[in-house]
Amino acid sequence: MIQRIVTELGPWAWWVLGIVLLILEVLLPGVFLVWIGIAAIITGALSLLLWGEAFWVWQVQWLGFAVLSLVAAVLGRRIVSRSDTASDQPYLNQRGQSLVGRTATLEHPIAEGRGRIRLDDTMWSVQGPDLPIGTRVRVTASNGRDLTVEPA
C-alpha cells in the first residue's frame, strides 16, 4: 500500500510527509519534528529535480532524507540555542536572587544562625551571625527559600 502511494504520488510523497510532520509539530510541539519535516520537504524538492535520473532510486532518496534530517536537526539546535537573548529581567522567576544586595531590618533576632526579616510584603527566613532584633542587615545570597545576611 505504501509503495503504491509513493509510486502514484512520485516526488510529491516527500512533500506530503514533510507537511504531515510539520502538522504533527504543531499538534505535539517539541521543536524536533519541524527539522525532520524540513528535511522531507528538501528531499521532495530534490526529487522534483532528479525524478527521471537513474540513480535517484528510493534507497538513495531515504539515505538523502536521513542525512538531511541529521543536518537539519544539528543546524536547528544551533539556531535555537543561539537565539537565547539576555533578558531585561534576569531574576523574574528567581525572587530570592533578586533580593541580593538589598537591606532590611531584622523582625526576629538571628539566634543560633536563624532569624526573619521583612522585605516588601514578605517575611523571609534568614541565616547569618547572631544579631539582635532591629539590626540592619544586607542580603548576600539566596539558596531558594532562605536568605543569607550580614550586618549592613
Side-chain angles (χ1 to χ4, degrees):
M1 181 177 139
I2 294 176
Q3 183 179 5
R4 190 178 126 241
I5 293 172
V6 171
T7 304
E8 289 178 9
L9 288 176
W12 296 102
W14 289 107
W15 286 79
V16 170
L17 176 65
I19 290 170
V20 167
L21 288 169
L22 292 176
I23 289 171
L24 284 174
E25 177 66 34
V26 171
L27 297 175
L28 307 166
V31 192
F32 183 76
L33 292 177
V34 67
W35 308 118
I36 299 173
I38 290 171
I41 291 173
I42 292 171
T43 304
L46 288 172
S47 291
L48 284 174
L49 296 172
L50 303 173
W51 193 254
E53 301 297 326
F55 72 90
W56 195 247
V57 293
W58 69 269
Q59 294 93 340
V60 173
Q61 292 177 36
W62 276 102
L63 182 64
F65 171 65
V67 170
L68 284 172
S69 294
L70 289 173
V71 170
V74 169
L75 290 177
R77 185 178 178 131
R78 285 187 182 171
I79 290 169
V80 169
S81 67
R82 187 173 13 138
S83 68
D84 293 337
T85 57
S87 172
D88 61 338
Q89 296 178 352
Y91 299 121
L92 180 64
N93 292 322
Q94 300 174 11
R95 188 165 181 212
Q97 292 294 329
S98 69
L99 300 174
V100 173
R102 295 206 33 204
T103 58
T105 304
L106 284 174
E107 294 273 328
H108 295 90
I110 299 178
E112 298 178 12
R114 312 274 305 153
R116 294 180 71 77
I117 62 172
R118 178 181 299 275
L119 280 170
D120 300 326
D121 60 347
T122 306
M123 291 291 286
W124 288 87
S125 295
V126 295
Q127 303 174 36
D130 290 353
L131 297 169
I133 193 169
T135 304
R136 294 288 292 171
V137 292
R138 176 179 298 109
V139 178
T140 58
S142 169
N143 68 0
R145 65 182 183 102
D146 293 330
L147 302 175
T148 305
V149 297
E150 64 182 19

